[in-house]
Amino acid sequence: LSEADVGTAEVVALVDRMFAGGLYRPDQHTFLLYPDRSLPPFWEKNIVPESALGPAATSLLEAGAGILYRDVEGYVRFDGSFGSARELRRSLDEHGVEPGAQEELLDLYESVFRHAAFTGRSGTMYRYEGLGSVYWHMVSKLLFAIQEHVARATRNGEPAEDVAALADRYRRVRAGLGYMKDVAEQGTFPTDPHSHTPAHTGAQQPGMTGQVKEGVLLRWGELGVRVEQGRVSFRPTVLLRKEFLTEPEQWVRDGGSETLEAGTLGFTYCGVPVVYHLEGGDPWTRVTWADGRETSASNSFDEETSRALFQRRGLIQHIDVGIPEAWLVDGD
């Protein structure tokens, strides 16, 4: 989903195909790391198809050299002592097999065991991002990529309906994250980050997983906080209207408290309280400095103000931002 390679319409179509394809897990409203598949039983492994037996394999089998054998049910198999192609080659050398015949047998060995296609636990286990498992860090990365496309489309002034379509796919993918579900769906505490969710049980491995990093970045993106060329700007693109207060509420935080009025939303950035105010007109920002000064701008800081914010030296006391209602989206 690189911004340079995929356009807005392509992103929308790709996400729609994902929801309609084999990666989608309806019970979790999200996606698997790999398409699920059924593993063959143990005795169905290490079977050499009769049609694949070439001259070298047939000769060894008839000679009873022990490298290949036919079991009691008539299946041709490689000797079970070989743990790798290297061990097979060593045995072929010991039996004096010619180089050309060796390559034929090594190719046959690889076609049976497909070691080159081995993907580790993802293709052999049922937990730890394995078969049938959702890998939550991957889902968060997908969501982050979609969010970046929403921001790009907005920044480039693309048609409102195209931006809305992207934002809709963003919310649809986000609906699969744990904190959007109840305990029964998530199989554990929904607000705890987890590594993966196997097909047969709830979310597993709680803790500071990679999903946490993406979650922080996603939330800054939802709030529209961006840093470009050392300058902070506030331009939400997927922020929900319903997140703004409908009645006054006391906001208690480290270092102080204040009353947030209806039509506002509060958070802290670099230790400074930021309050969004719903507006019917143009965007604005008002910075209240520790020395009592106030400075204003549209929705972007200059380098000096941004630097003062990043330094966390207590130079900025409060930030107020006017957010046009047209920037917000409805929905869950």
Side-chain angles (χ1 to χ4, degrees), residues 21-297:
L23 287 175
Y24 182 56
R25 255 187 72 175
D27 66 311
Q28 288 293 317
H29 317 295
T30 195
F31 306 101
L32 302 174
L33 180 60
Y34 294 96
D36 199 8
R37 62 190 179 93
S38 298
L39 294 179
F42 180 79
W43 288 110
E44 290 182 12
K45 298 179 180 181
N46 187 18
I47 294 178
V48 181
E50 295 287 341
S51 59
L53 293 173
T58 301
S59 176
L60 279 178
L61 190 61
E62 292 174 350
I67 295 174
L68 286 165
Y69 71 96
R70 192 176 295 278
D71 69 12
V72 294
E73 294 183 342
Y75 293 114
V76 176
R77 302 178 186 270
F78 279 95
D79 185 87
S81 64
F82 299 132
S84 67
R86 185 182 300 109
E87 294 177 6
L88 172 59
R89 186 184 291 276
R90 187 182 305 121
S91 181
L92 294 174
D93 286 337
E94 292 172 354
H95 283 80
V97 178
E98 295 295 325
Q102 285 197 21
E103 292 309 312
E104 175 194 320
L105 290 161
L106 289 166
D107 288 344
L108 179 62
Y109 184 76
E110 173 60 25
S111 71
V112 170
F113 292 100
R114 302 184 67 244
H115 291 111
F118 180 63
T119 57
R121 62 189 179 187
S122 64
T124 57
M125 301 175 66
Y126 295 93
R127 286 181 183 261
Y128 310 109
E129 301 90 62
L131 295 169
S133 285
V134 173
Y135 181 28
W136 291 111
H137 191 186
M138 179 274 296
V139 176
S140 293
K141 282 180 176 291
L142 169 66
L143 193 58
F144 185 74
I146 299 172
Q147 187 188 88
E148 286 291 289
H149 276 277
V150 178
R152 181 216 60 190
T154 302
R155 189 167 58 248
N156 293 344
E158 295 189 22
E161 59 270 23
D162 293 345
V163 178
L166 270 177
D168 175 74
R169 272 57 176 189
Y170 175 86
R171 294 193 302 276
R172 189 177 178 191
V173 173
R174 187 181 65 174
L177 295 184
Y179 76 95
M180 301 292 290
K181 303 174 185 174
D182 57 27
V183 173
E185 283 185 303
Q186 183 69 353
T188 183
F189 293 105
T191 54
D192 282 351
H194 284 73
S195 166
H196 65 283
T197 299
H200 60 284
T201 187
Q204 302 292 297
Q205 283 186 286
M208 294 297 285
T209 68
Q211 184 191 7
V212 176
K213 175 191 70 176
E214 255 69 37
V216 172
L217 296 175
L218 283 167
R219 188 52 180 163
W220 289 133
E222 290 176 358
L223 291 168
V225 181
R226 300 188 69 85
V227 180
E228 296 175 311
Q229 297 182 337
R231 300 175 54 163
V232 178
S233 63
F234 302 93
R235 177 56 172 96
T237 55
V238 290
L239 187 60
L240 298 176
R241 184 176 280 101
K242 73 173 190 176
E243 293 198 51
F244 285 74
L245 295 175
T246 56
E247 57 185 37
E249 186 173 310
Q250 191 71 10
W251 181 23
V252 179
R253 59 181 186 274
D254 289 344
S257 65
E258 63 181 284
T259 299
L260 295 180
E261 301 297 332
T264 65
L265 180 157
F267 61 94
T268 62
Y269 184 66
C270 293
V272 176
V274 179
V275 177
Y276 279 1
H277 303 259
L278 277 179
E279 287 291 335
D282 296 329
W284 54 264
T285 61
R286 182 174 64 248
V287 179
T288 302
W289 298 80
D291 60 9
R293 291 181 297 131
E294 286 189 353
T295 55
S296 301

